[in-house]
Amino acid sequence: MQAAQLAAAAVSDSLRYDEEEDAPDGERAARQEVRLPGPPTDPASAWRTARLISALMARDLADCLAASLDCYARVWTAMDARGRGGAEAWAGAAAADAARDADGGGGGGGGGGRSARAGGACGARGAAWGSDRCAHHPPPLFSVQLVVQDERIAFSPPLAELRAAALSAFDAAPAAAARVEDVAARAADPASEATLRPPPPDHPAIAAPRAAAAGAVDRGLEPPAALAAAFGAFAELLGAGPEERAAAWEAGGHSLEETAAEIERLGALAARVEALSELTVAFRMVSVDAAPARAALAGRALAARGALLARLRERWRAGNEAAISRCEAIADRLAEEPPDAEAMAALAAFASSASDELPALAAAASEAAAVGAVLEAGRGAVDEGGADALWRLRRWPAALEAQLEAAAERLAGYRERFRLQLAADQRALAQDAQTLLSEAAALSSEAGARASEAGGAQSEAGGAQSEERAAAAREVEERLAALERRAQTLSGREDIFGLPHAEHPQLAEARALLAQLGPAPDSPL
């Protein structure tokens, strides 16, 4: 019995933490040493000693494990964001502020409430995340990045991994304790690998500190999660790329006013993203590098804005060039000199259509000016060529109006000129028709005289005269066809001037006389 008591005292003394061991050399206080006379020679005594040692080790292991986990939990509860620091960096944490102001300090020994500590700009709402410098606290334990990943706002590494790392000790410590060798089992069986059994996970000594630490960690991760949710409000910038967004907007048939408003909205959206937070937001537990997400979202807003401006600029340039080309074509056509009445009539018709087209061209010039103002307001790049095209387009409507007036005066002169020319052409046609009729009558008379002659075969001289008459008939036939074409042309010009058609009966009489002669050789009749 005495040997067992001495062994127990020795084990208890050996398991007790000796604070003097941490003291500097030369300052250690003497401590009582228990010396055993030697190992117990009685097997029963040795077995009892081993069991006693095992029991003492299990008890102290449980106590050390509980004390360690409780101390570890206090580390996290001391950093509770509701208690001190961190929440001040959480713009919009009005509820937490009101609670701390109400009780004058908040949990966790965090000092006075916000209203007692903060003043001036520190208490202002609507500030960027991380811009409040009132609450000073030690550097956060974790550092993460807020990024755009798979078209969503995410943390790298995820907050779930931070939580698992913070609470991993509550699983690792019992697992390490479970590797302590069971002395009693080894005494009974030297080949035994049995270990001491620590308290189960649901034991209050483990579950209580774990729950306290988990609550503190969860509360410490709430502000970063809220920051991510604030960036998530710009989810419209995720998904489709800038060109896809611009194409969809263009396909929607939006007006210029709507497009200008959208360009302005996207620019303001980029500014709101950049003003949402500082590049780094230091909460009590976690420091968030928000620069990647901020840059990605703002960049997408600006890229979508730039794509809209680029498409608007390209349509503007193409429309300006097309309108200028049309104005130049109208001006060139109006400057033409008509060679005859038909060309004059065509030019008059073109001038009339150009006059009807002038309001549309003026509207195109006004639209181009409005688009140019939108591009300038949106700081869209407009090169020198584009600016020159806009200037030329804006002056074309007035220039065309002046040219139309000049063309109308010229057409009035051409009309009088070609009307007089028509009268002269009609008189000339009448004279030519009368001359042709006389020749046709002469040929007819000669043919009749030859036909009345009696006799048999004709002489060689008669054959030659017959060929001459045939050639003359062909020549008269060709001249008659040309006069008929002239008569038809002059009739068309009379329609242009609204005049009655002139009659030329000589042409019909000549046609009848030639018909009496019969078809001449090589004649189309």
PDB file of all heavy atoms in Angstrom, residues 159-193:
ATOM      1  N   LEU A 159     -15.014  31.670 -47.923  1.00  0.00           N
ATOM      2  CA  LEU A 159     -15.177  31.882 -46.483  1.00  0.00           C
ATOM      3  C   LEU A 159     -15.406  30.568 -45.749  1.00  0.00           C
ATOM      4  O   LEU A 159     -15.052  30.436 -44.559  1.00  0.00           O
ATOM      5  CB  LEU A 159     -16.341  32.834 -46.224  1.00  0.00           C
ATOM      6  CG  LEU A 159     -16.176  34.278 -46.738  1.00  0.00           C
ATOM      7  CD1 LEU A 159     -17.370  35.113 -46.328  1.00  0.00           C
ATOM      8  CD2 LEU A 159     -14.884  34.890 -46.219  1.00  0.00           C
ATOM      9  N   ALA A 160     -15.998  29.581 -46.423  1.00  0.00           N
ATOM     10  CA  ALA A 160     -16.214  28.284 -45.780  1.00  0.00           C
ATOM     11  C   ALA A 160     -14.883  27.638 -45.396  1.00  0.00           C
ATOM     12  O   ALA A 160     -14.781  26.961 -44.360  1.00  0.00           O
ATOM     13  CB  ALA A 160     -17.000  27.365 -46.706  1.00  0.00           C
ATOM     14  N   GLU A 161     -13.850  27.840 -46.221  1.00  0.00           N
ATOM     15  CA  GLU A 161     -12.540  27.286 -45.881  1.00  0.00           C
ATOM     16  C   GLU A 161     -11.949  28.008 -44.675  1.00  0.00           C
ATOM     17  O   GLU A 161     -11.287  27.386 -43.833  1.00  0.00           O
ATOM     18  CB  GLU A 161     -11.603  27.397 -47.083  1.00  0.00           C
ATOM     19  CG  GLU A 161     -11.984  26.494 -48.247  1.00  0.00           C
ATOM     20  CD  GLU A 161     -10.955  26.533 -49.363  1.00  0.00           C
ATOM     21  OE1 GLU A 161      -9.870  27.130 -49.148  1.00  0.00           O
ATOM     22  OE2 GLU A 161     -11.230  25.974 -50.437  1.00  0.00           O
ATOM     23  N   LEU A 162     -12.174  29.318 -44.583  1.00  0.00           N
ATOM     24  CA  LEU A 162     -11.692  30.035 -43.405  1.00  0.00           C
ATOM     25  C   LEU A 162     -12.378  29.530 -42.147  1.00  0.00           C
ATOM     26  O   LEU A 162     -11.730  29.339 -41.106  1.00  0.00           O
ATOM     27  CB  LEU A 162     -11.942  31.542 -43.571  1.00  0.00           C
ATOM     28  CG  LEU A 162     -11.305  32.242 -44.770  1.00  0.00           C
ATOM     29  CD1 LEU A 162     -11.525  33.741 -44.649  1.00  0.00           C
ATOM     30  CD2 LEU A 162      -9.827  31.920 -44.860  1.00  0.00           C
ATOM     31  N   ARG A 163     -13.671  29.328 -42.245  1.00  0.00           N
ATOM     32  CA  ARG A 163     -14.408  28.829 -41.077  1.00  0.00           C
ATOM     33  C   ARG A 163     -13.907  27.452 -40.677  1.00  0.00           C
ATOM     34  O   ARG A 163     -13.707  27.158 -39.492  1.00  0.00           O
ATOM     35  CB  ARG A 163     -15.899  28.780 -41.396  1.00  0.00           C
ATOM     36  CG  ARG A 163     -16.774  28.401 -40.209  1.00  0.00           C
ATOM     37  CD  ARG A 163     -18.234  28.340 -40.620  1.00  0.00           C
ATOM     38  NE  ARG A 163     -19.102  28.196 -39.459  1.00  0.00           N
ATOM     39  CZ  ARG A 163     -19.372  27.032 -38.867  1.00  0.00           C
ATOM     40  NH1 ARG A 163     -18.818  25.913 -39.323  1.00  0.00           N
ATOM     41  NH2 ARG A 163     -20.166  26.989 -37.817  1.00  0.00           N
ATOM     42  N   ALA A 164     -13.689  26.585 -41.670  1.00  0.00           N
ATOM     43  CA  ALA A 164     -13.195  25.244 -41.359  1.00  0.00           C
ATOM     44  C   ALA A 164     -11.810  25.290 -40.731  1.00  0.00           C
ATOM     45  O   ALA A 164     -11.506  24.528 -39.795  1.00  0.00           O
ATOM     46  CB  ALA A 164     -13.175  24.405 -42.635  1.00  0.00           C
ATOM     47  N   ALA A 165     -10.950  26.207 -41.219  1.00  0.00           N
ATOM     48  CA  ALA A 165      -9.613  26.322 -40.638  1.00  0.00           C
ATOM     49  C   ALA A 165      -9.670  26.828 -39.205  1.00  0.00           C
ATOM     50  O   ALA A 165      -8.918  26.368 -38.337  1.00  0.00           O
ATOM     51  CB  ALA A 165      -8.761  27.261 -41.500  1.00  0.00           C
ATOM     52  N   ALA A 166     -10.592  27.792 -38.958  1.00  0.00           N
ATOM     53  CA  ALA A 166     -10.703  28.338 -37.604  1.00  0.00           C
ATOM     54  C   ALA A 166     -11.195  27.296 -36.616  1.00  0.00           C
ATOM     55  O   ALA A 166     -10.770  27.277 -35.448  1.00  0.00           O
ATOM     56  CB  ALA A 166     -11.632  29.545 -37.610  1.00  0.00           C
ATOM     57  N   LEU A 167     -12.058  26.425 -37.043  1.00  0.00           N
ATOM     58  CA  LEU A 167     -12.644  25.430 -36.134  1.00  0.00           C
ATOM     59  C   LEU A 167     -11.953  24.084 -36.217  1.00  0.00           C
ATOM     60  O   LEU A 167     -12.397  23.123 -35.568  1.00  0.00           O
ATOM     61  CB  LEU A 167     -14.132  25.262 -36.456  1.00  0.00           C
ATOM     62  CG  LEU A 167     -14.988  26.525 -36.350  1.00  0.00           C
ATOM     63  CD1 LEU A 167     -16.440  26.217 -36.688  1.00  0.00           C
ATOM     64  CD2 LEU A 167     -14.884  27.145 -34.966  1.00  0.00           C
ATOM     65  N   SER A 168     -10.900  23.983 -36.996  1.00  0.00           N
ATOM     66  CA  SER A 168     -10.251  22.677 -37.169  1.00  0.00           C
ATOM     67  C   SER A 168      -9.615  22.175 -35.871  1.00  0.00           C
ATOM     68  O   SER A 168      -9.480  20.963 -35.673  1.00  0.00           O
ATOM     69  CB  SER A 168      -9.192  22.765 -38.267  1.00  0.00           C
ATOM     70  OG  SER A 168      -8.186  23.715 -37.915  1.00  0.00           O
ATOM     71  N   ALA A 169      -9.217  23.099 -34.981  1.00  0.00           N
ATOM     72  CA  ALA A 169      -8.590  22.662 -33.728  1.00  0.00           C
ATOM     73  C   ALA A 169      -9.536  21.822 -32.885  1.00  0.00           C
ATOM     74  O   ALA A 169      -9.087  20.955 -32.120  1.00  0.00           O
ATOM     75  CB  ALA A 169      -8.108  23.872 -32.939  1.00  0.00           C
ATOM     76  N   PHE A 170     -10.828  22.082 -32.981  1.00  0.00           N
ATOM     77  CA  PHE A 170     -11.788  21.315 -32.179  1.00  0.00           C
ATOM     78  C   PHE A 170     -11.909  19.882 -32.680  1.00  0.00           C
ATOM     79  O   PHE A 170     -12.481  19.039 -31.985  1.00  0.00           O
ATOM     80  CB  PHE A 170     -13.152  22.003 -32.210  1.00  0.00           C
ATOM     81  CG  PHE A 170     -13.158  23.329 -31.515  1.00  0.00           C
ATOM     82  CD1 PHE A 170     -12.988  24.498 -32.234  1.00  0.00           C
ATOM     83  CD2 PHE A 170     -13.287  23.416 -30.141  1.00  0.00           C
ATOM     84  CE1 PHE A 170     -12.974  25.728 -31.608  1.00  0.00           C
ATOM     85  CE2 PHE A 170     -13.276  24.639 -29.498  1.00  0.00           C
ATOM     86  CZ  PHE A 170     -13.115  25.809 -30.227  1.00  0.00           C
ATOM     87  N   ASP A 171     -11.411  19.605 -33.857  1.00  0.00           N
ATOM     88  CA  ASP A 171     -11.335  18.221 -34.331  1.00  0.00           C
ATOM     89  C   ASP A 171      -9.924  17.684 -34.204  1.00  0.00           C
ATOM     90  O   ASP A 171      -9.732  16.496 -33.908  1.00  0.00           O
ATOM     91  CB  ASP A 171     -11.775  18.147 -35.804  1.00  0.00           C
ATOM     92  CG  ASP A 171     -13.214  18.560 -35.992  1.00  0.00           C
ATOM     93  OD1 ASP A 171     -14.031  18.228 -35.116  1.00  0.00           O
ATOM     94  OD2 ASP A 171     -13.520  19.205 -37.004  1.00  0.00           O
ATOM     95  N   ALA A 172      -8.933  18.569 -34.403  1.00  0.00           N
ATOM     96  CA  ALA A 172      -7.545  18.105 -34.374  1.00  0.00           C
ATOM     97  C   ALA A 172      -7.076  17.803 -32.950  1.00  0.00           C
ATOM     98  O   ALA A 172      -6.338  16.839 -32.733  1.00  0.00           O
ATOM     99  CB  ALA A 172      -6.640  19.160 -35.012  1.00  0.00           C
ATOM    100  N   ALA A 173      -7.494  18.617 -31.973  1.00  0.00           N
ATOM    101  CA  ALA A 173      -7.021  18.394 -30.602  1.00  0.00           C
ATOM    102  C   ALA A 173      -7.508  17.058 -30.037  1.00  0.00           C
ATOM    103  O   ALA A 173      -6.705  16.283 -29.502  1.00  0.00           O
ATOM    104  CB  ALA A 173      -7.455  19.542 -29.704  1.00  0.00           C
ATOM    105  N   PRO A 174      -8.806  16.733 -30.129  1.00  0.00           N
ATOM    106  CA  PRO A 174      -9.213  15.403 -29.645  1.00  0.00           C
ATOM    107  C   PRO A 174      -8.550  14.272 -30.416  1.00  0.00           C
ATOM    108  O   PRO A 174      -8.222  13.223 -29.839  1.00  0.00           O
ATOM    109  CB  PRO A 174     -10.723  15.409 -29.865  1.00  0.00           C
ATOM    110  CG  PRO A 174     -11.107  16.851 -29.830  1.00  0.00           C
ATOM    111  CD  PRO A 174      -9.981  17.552 -30.475  1.00  0.00           C
ATOM    112  N   ALA A 175      -8.326  14.489 -31.716  1.00  0.00           N
ATOM    113  CA  ALA A 175      -7.659  13.444 -32.491  1.00  0.00           C
ATOM    114  C   ALA A 175      -6.228  13.248 -32.012  1.00  0.00           C
ATOM    115  O   ALA A 175      -5.729  12.113 -31.944  1.00  0.00           O
ATOM    116  CB  ALA A 175      -7.686  13.809 -33.975  1.00  0.00           C
ATOM    117  N   ALA A 176      -5.551  14.341 -31.677  1.00  0.00           N
ATOM    118  CA  ALA A 176      -4.190  14.211 -31.145  1.00  0.00           C
ATOM    119  C   ALA A 176      -4.193  13.553 -29.772  1.00  0.00           C
ATOM    120  O   ALA A 176      -3.313  12.737 -29.455  1.00  0.00           O
ATOM    121  CB  ALA A 176      -3.541  15.588 -31.078  1.00  0.00           C
ATOM    122  N   ALA A 177      -5.177  13.907 -28.948  1.00  0.00           N
ATOM    123  CA  ALA A 177      -5.270  13.288 -27.625  1.00  0.00           C
ATOM    124  C   ALA A 177      -5.543  11.796 -27.730  1.00  0.00           C
ATOM    125  O   ALA A 177      -5.117  11.019 -26.871  1.00  0.00           O
ATOM    126  CB  ALA A 177      -6.349  13.973 -26.803  1.00  0.00           C
ATOM    127  N   ALA A 178      -6.231  11.393 -28.764  1.00  0.00           N
ATOM    128  CA  ALA A 178      -6.557   9.976 -28.926  1.00  0.00           C
ATOM    129  C   ALA A 178      -5.336   9.147 -29.301  1.00  0.00           C
ATOM    130  O   ALA A 178      -5.412   7.925 -29.329  1.00  0.00           O
ATOM    131  CB  ALA A 178      -7.646   9.814 -30.002  1.00  0.00           C
ATOM    132  N   ARG A 179      -4.209   9.800 -29.574  1.00  0.00           N
ATOM    133  CA  ARG A 179      -2.999   9.045 -29.904  1.00  0.00           C
ATOM    134  C   ARG A 179      -2.091   8.804 -28.689  1.00  0.00           C
ATOM    135  O   ARG A 179      -1.019   8.235 -28.810  1.00  0.00           O
ATOM    136  CB  ARG A 179      -2.212   9.809 -30.984  1.00  0.00           C
ATOM    137  CG  ARG A 179      -2.914   9.878 -32.309  1.00  0.00           C
ATOM    138  CD  ARG A 179      -1.971  10.334 -33.405  1.00  0.00           C
ATOM    139  NE  ARG A 179      -1.498  11.682 -33.210  1.00  0.00           N
ATOM    140  CZ  ARG A 179      -2.113  12.765 -33.700  1.00  0.00           C
ATOM    141  NH1 ARG A 179      -3.242  12.615 -34.375  1.00  0.00           N
ATOM    142  NH2 ARG A 179      -1.620  13.963 -33.494  1.00  0.00           N
ATOM    143  N   VAL A 180      -2.513   9.247 -27.471  1.00  0.00           N
ATOM    144  CA  VAL A 180      -1.733   9.019 -26.251  1.00  0.00           C
ATOM    145  C   VAL A 180      -1.863   7.548 -25.834  1.00  0.00           C
ATOM    146  O   VAL A 180      -2.969   7.011 -25.723  1.00  0.00           O
ATOM    147  CB  VAL A 180      -2.199   9.944 -25.114  1.00  0.00           C
ATOM    148  CG1 VAL A 180      -1.430   9.659 -23.832  1.00  0.00           C
ATOM    149  CG2 VAL A 180      -2.013  11.398 -25.543  1.00  0.00           C
ATOM    150  N   GLU A 181      -0.724   6.906 -25.590  1.00  0.00           N
ATOM    151  CA  GLU A 181      -0.700   5.469 -25.297  1.00  0.00           C
ATOM    152  C   GLU A 181      -1.333   5.170 -23.943  1.00  0.00           C
ATOM    153  O   GLU A 181      -1.171   5.931 -22.979  1.00  0.00           O
ATOM    154  CB  GLU A 181       0.753   4.985 -25.315  1.00  0.00           C
ATOM    155  CG  GLU A 181       0.902   3.511 -25.028  1.00  0.00           C
ATOM    156  CD  GLU A 181       2.361   3.104 -25.008  1.00  0.00           C
ATOM    157  OE1 GLU A 181       3.238   3.972 -25.210  1.00  0.00           O
ATOM    158  OE2 GLU A 181       2.632   1.920 -24.766  1.00  0.00           O
ATOM    159  N   ASP A 182      -2.068   4.083 -23.882  1.00  0.00           N
ATOM    160  CA  ASP A 182      -2.681   3.606 -22.634  1.00  0.00           C
ATOM    161  C   ASP A 182      -1.656   2.738 -21.908  1.00  0.00           C
ATOM    162  O   ASP A 182      -1.340   1.621 -22.340  1.00  0.00           O
ATOM    163  CB  ASP A 182      -3.942   2.800 -22.940  1.00  0.00           C
ATOM    164  CG  ASP A 182      -4.724   2.461 -21.678  1.00  0.00           C
ATOM    165  OD1 ASP A 182      -4.158   2.580 -20.582  1.00  0.00           O
ATOM    166  OD2 ASP A 182      -5.903   2.060 -21.811  1.00  0.00           O
ATOM    167  N   VAL A 183      -1.090   3.271 -20.793  1.00  0.00           N
ATOM    168  CA  VAL A 183      -0.034   2.563 -20.059  1.00  0.00           C
ATOM    169  C   VAL A 183      -0.546   1.255 -19.482  1.00  0.00           C
ATOM    170  O   VAL A 183       0.147   0.227 -19.498  1.00  0.00           O
ATOM    171  CB  VAL A 183       0.520   3.477 -18.961  1.00  0.00           C
ATOM    172  CG1 VAL A 183       1.578   2.757 -18.139  1.00  0.00           C
ATOM    173  CG2 VAL A 183       1.085   4.746 -19.562  1.00  0.00           C
ATOM    174  N   ALA A 184      -1.746   1.264 -18.962  1.00  0.00           N
ATOM    175  CA  ALA A 184      -2.299   0.050 -18.347  1.00  0.00           C
ATOM    176  C   ALA A 184      -2.441  -1.057 -19.371  1.00  0.00           C
ATOM    177  O   ALA A 184      -2.137  -2.228 -19.111  1.00  0.00           O
ATOM    178  CB  ALA A 184      -3.641   0.353 -17.695  1.00  0.00           C
ATOM    179  N   ALA A 185      -2.932  -0.721 -20.573  1.00  0.00           N
ATOM    180  CA  ALA A 185      -3.080  -1.744 -21.601  1.00  0.00           C
ATOM    181  C   ALA A 185      -1.727  -2.287 -22.022  1.00  0.00           C
ATOM    182  O   ALA A 185      -1.577  -3.492 -22.259  1.00  0.00           O
ATOM    183  CB  ALA A 185      -3.822  -1.166 -22.807  1.00  0.00           C
ATOM    184  N   ARG A 186      -0.718  -1.412 -22.103  1.00  0.00           N
ATOM    185  CA  ARG A 186       0.611  -1.890 -22.474  1.00  0.00           C
ATOM    186  C   ARG A 186       1.202  -2.781 -21.378  1.00  0.00           C
ATOM    187  O   ARG A 186       1.910  -3.746 -21.679  1.00  0.00           O
ATOM    188  CB  ARG A 186       1.525  -0.697 -22.751  1.00  0.00           C
ATOM    189  CG  ARG A 186       2.952  -1.058 -23.079  1.00  0.00           C
ATOM    190  CD  ARG A 186       3.027  -1.898 -24.366  1.00  0.00           C
ATOM    191  NE  ARG A 186       2.655  -1.115 -25.518  1.00  0.00           N
ATOM    192  CZ  ARG A 186       3.511  -0.391 -26.210  1.00  0.00           C
ATOM    193  NH1 ARG A 186       4.776  -0.345 -25.845  1.00  0.00           N
ATOM    194  NH2 ARG A 186       3.095   0.281 -27.256  1.00  0.00           N
ATOM    195  N   ALA A 187       0.907  -2.425 -20.085  1.00  0.00           N
ATOM    196  CA  ALA A 187       1.393  -3.268 -18.991  1.00  0.00           C
ATOM    197  C   ALA A 187       0.763  -4.638 -19.052  1.00  0.00           C
ATOM    198  O   ALA A 187       1.408  -5.651 -18.751  1.00  0.00           O
ATOM    199  CB  ALA A 187       1.111  -2.592 -17.652  1.00  0.00           C
ATOM    200  N   ALA A 188      -0.514  -4.697 -19.403  1.00  0.00           N
ATOM    201  CA  ALA A 188      -1.183  -5.990 -19.485  1.00  0.00           C
ATOM    202  C   ALA A 188      -0.729  -6.769 -20.700  1.00  0.00           C
ATOM    203  O   ALA A 188      -0.598  -7.995 -20.648  1.00  0.00           O
ATOM    204  CB  ALA A 188      -2.703  -5.787 -19.529  1.00  0.00           C
ATOM    205  N   ASP A 189      -0.469  -6.065 -21.811  1.00  0.00           N
ATOM    206  CA  ASP A 189      -0.068  -6.743 -23.046  1.00  0.00           C
ATOM    207  C   ASP A 189       0.962  -5.869 -23.735  1.00  0.00           C
ATOM    208  O   ASP A 189       0.619  -4.822 -24.298  1.00  0.00           O
ATOM    209  CB  ASP A 189      -1.282  -6.954 -23.944  1.00  0.00           C
ATOM    210  CG  ASP A 189      -0.913  -7.679 -25.230  1.00  0.00           C
ATOM    211  OD1 ASP A 189       0.245  -8.122 -25.367  1.00  0.00           O
ATOM    212  OD2 ASP A 189      -1.792  -7.797 -26.124  1.00  0.00           O
ATOM    213  N   PRO A 190       2.230  -6.236 -23.656  1.00  0.00           N
ATOM    214  CA  PRO A 190       3.271  -5.395 -24.281  1.00  0.00           C
ATOM    215  C   PRO A 190       3.035  -5.130 -25.765  1.00  0.00           C
ATOM    216  O   PRO A 190       3.525  -4.125 -26.293  1.00  0.00           O
ATOM    217  CB  PRO A 190       4.554  -6.212 -24.055  1.00  0.00           C
ATOM    218  CG  PRO A 190       4.256  -7.078 -22.865  1.00  0.00           C
ATOM    219  CD  PRO A 190       2.795  -7.421 -22.956  1.00  0.00           C
ATOM    220  N   ALA A 191       2.322  -5.997 -26.442  1.00  0.00           N
ATOM    221  CA  ALA A 191       2.060  -5.784 -27.884  1.00  0.00           C
ATOM    222  C   ALA A 191       0.835  -4.900 -28.138  1.00  0.00           C
ATOM    223  O   ALA A 191       0.524  -4.601 -29.289  1.00  0.00           O
ATOM    224  CB  ALA A 191       1.844  -7.135 -28.577  1.00  0.00           C
ATOM    225  N   SER A 192       0.168  -4.455 -27.095  1.00  0.00           N
ATOM    226  CA  SER A 192      -1.055  -3.656 -27.267  1.00  0.00           C
ATOM    227  C   SER A 192      -0.718  -2.252 -27.814  1.00  0.00           C
ATOM    228  O   SER A 192       0.298  -1.669 -27.453  1.00  0.00           O
ATOM    229  CB  SER A 192      -1.774  -3.532 -25.920  1.00  0.00           C
ATOM    230  OG  SER A 192      -2.881  -2.656 -26.049  1.00  0.00           O
ATOM    231  N   GLU A 193      -1.570  -1.767 -28.678  1.00  0.00           N
ATOM    232  CA  GLU A 193      -1.455  -0.404 -29.232  1.00  0.00           C
ATOM    233  C   GLU A 193      -2.638   0.462 -28.813  1.00  0.00           C
ATOM    234  O   GLU A 193      -2.942   1.464 -29.457  1.00  0.00           O
ATOM    235  CB  GLU A 193      -1.385  -0.452 -30.760  1.00  0.00           C
ATOM    236  CG  GLU A 193      -0.151  -1.175 -31.284  1.00  0.00           C
ATOM    237  CD  GLU A 193      -0.078  -1.171 -32.797  1.00  0.00           C
ATOM    238  OE1 GLU A 193      -1.061  -0.682 -33.421  1.00  0.00           O
ATOM    239  OE2 GLU A 193       0.917  -1.642 -33.365  1.00  0.00           O
TER     240      GLU A 193
END
